[in-house]
Amino acid sequence: EVQLVESGGGLVQAGGSLRLSCAAFGFTFEDYAIGWFRQAPGKEREAISCISVSDAFTWYVDSVKGRFTISSDNAKNTVYLQISRLKTEETGVYYCAALDSDNDCSRDEYDFWGQGTQVTVSS
C-alpha cells in the first residue's frame, strides 16, 4: 500500500524554523519525485518545492527561495523540508506528494498524497 506520512509541523513564532518530514512507503522511492505543498486557510493549495529523488533535482517557488531547503535521505525513504524565517501568512497545512520521476515535479499532477501536517506561525 502506497503511503506518505508527514510529520514535524507545529506552532512556531514568526521568524522561526521547523523541519518537516515525509516518509514514503509502498513504492520504489528512487523512481519518484516528492513535492511539498501548502494550503493556507481559505486559499487554494500551492506547490512550494519538489525534489527528484534519483538525481536530486530541486525546485522552489520564488516566495520560499533562500529560506526553505528540500532534501532526501534515500536510506530512510524520507524527504525533508527545512523551513526557516517563517512568516505568519505561511500558516497552513503542509502536504507531501509523490510523482513518477519521468514528469516535471514543479508543474505536473501528483499521484499520491499524504494527510498533511499543520504549521501555525504566530506573530
Side-chain angles (χ1 to χ4, degrees), residues 3-80:
Q3 197 173 11
L4 296 168
V5 180
E6 301 96 335
S7 61
L11 174 64
V12 63
Q13 286 190 323
S17 300
L18 285 172
R19 188 177 78 159
L20 306 183
S21 299
C22 173
F25 305 91
F27 60 92
T28 304
F29 191 61
E30 290 78 7
D31 290 344
Y32 283 78
I34 302 295
W36 281 97
F37 298 76
R38 174 175 63 215
Q39 187 162 23
K43 295 188 177 181
E44 292 188 356
R45 187 171 57 200
E46 64 168 333
I48 53 177
S49 183
C50 67
I51 184 167
S52 177
V53 174
S54 61
D55 62 9
F57 164 83
T58 59
W59 169 85
Y60 300 91
V61 70
D62 286 347
S63 62
V64 308
K65 286 180 180 177
R67 297 187 298 119
F68 289 19
T69 302
I70 193 168
S71 62
S72 69
D73 183 336
N74 293 6
K76 295 182 179 180
N77 282 13
T78 299
V79 167
Y80 302 99

